[in-house]
Amino acid sequence: MKKTIMMIALLAVPFALQAQTKFHDVELNEATGPVKSITQAGMMGRGEQTVNFTKEGKMQDENLKNLVYDENGYLQKAEREVETPQGNMKIATTYKWENGKVKSQTMDFGQGAMTQVFTYNEKGVIASMSMDMMGNAIEAPYTDYKFDDHGNWISRKTSMMGQEIEQTRTIEYYE
């Protein structure tokens, strides 16, 4: 009996390790499926931004540091250094998940923090985002979604601080 239990345990180890290599960074980027990359059109004077993913769903970004995942592969914390006119700034982002979706993210800039809270509609896409930026509340609804053949959004509109913004992105998939 002990040998049988030991054999089952030894066989289960590779499957447990395999299950632990599944990451949910694709979901963090508001997509599902075998996503290889997401390229978002530039907004507010920024150029295009591309996020690449491994087949296991983990982001490949050399700018992200000190990534902390929970036991289910959900990103809990990440740090990024960005260039600003005043010099380099370190941003630490903490994520809160609920039912496989990011419920909120808080970005700590050192001198202050900004929290974004997401509300999802019945289709599981973001209906609105509310933001608290150092005491200033901003509400941004998302509308006019267009989806690709995999069910991921490729275009949507939002309104923020009186400005209408159309966000577009291109998604490449693993075959």
Side-chain angles (χ1 to χ4, degrees), residues 29-97:
N29 287 271
E30 301 177 58
T32 60
V35 174
K36 187 174 190 178
S37 68
I38 298 174
T39 301
Q40 188 151 337
M43 292 184 348
M44 297 183 234
R46 297 185 319 184
E48 282 187 346
Q49 293 183 321
T50 300
V51 179
N52 295 303
F53 301 90
T54 65
K55 285 186 177 185
E56 293 79 28
K58 187 173 184 179
M59 284 185 288
Q60 295 178 308
D61 186 340
E62 65 273 357
N63 295 319
L64 289 176
K65 308 279 188 235
N66 301 321
L67 300 159
V68 177
Y69 289 89
D70 70 8
E71 65 276 359
N72 296 312
Y74 289 97
L75 186 60
Q76 301 297 301
K77 187 174 182 180
E79 293 178 358
R80 175 187 302 265
E81 198 164 304
V82 295
E83 284 185 45
T84 69
Q86 294 80 23
N88 288 349
M89 177 190 319
K90 188 166 93 172
I91 301 171
T93 305
T94 305
Y95 303 94
K96 301 248 188 269
W97 294 80

Side-chain angles (χ1 to χ4, degrees), residues 79-149:
E79 293 178 358
R80 175 187 302 265
E81 198 164 304
V82 295
E83 284 185 45
T84 69
Q86 294 80 23
N88 288 349
M89 177 190 319
K90 188 166 93 172
I91 301 171
T93 305
T94 305
Y95 303 94
K96 301 248 188 269
W97 294 80
E98 186 175 288
N99 299 323
K101 304 267 185 200
V102 176
K103 183 65 178 164
S104 68
Q105 63 183 25
T106 300
M107 292 168 272
D108 185 344
F109 303 99
Q111 293 89 22
M114 175 178 70
T115 298
Q116 297 174 314
V117 178
F118 303 99
T119 304
Y120 294 85
N121 66 18
E122 67 282 349
K123 294 180 182 176
V125 295
I126 294 178
S128 68
M129 182 255 318
S130 59
M131 185 172 15
D132 177 2
M133 188 166 183
M134 295 182 277
N136 296 317
I138 299 170
E139 187 75 26
Y142 290 97
T143 61
D144 299 329
Y145 275 93
K146 292 184 179 120
F147 298 90
D148 66 9
D149 293 339

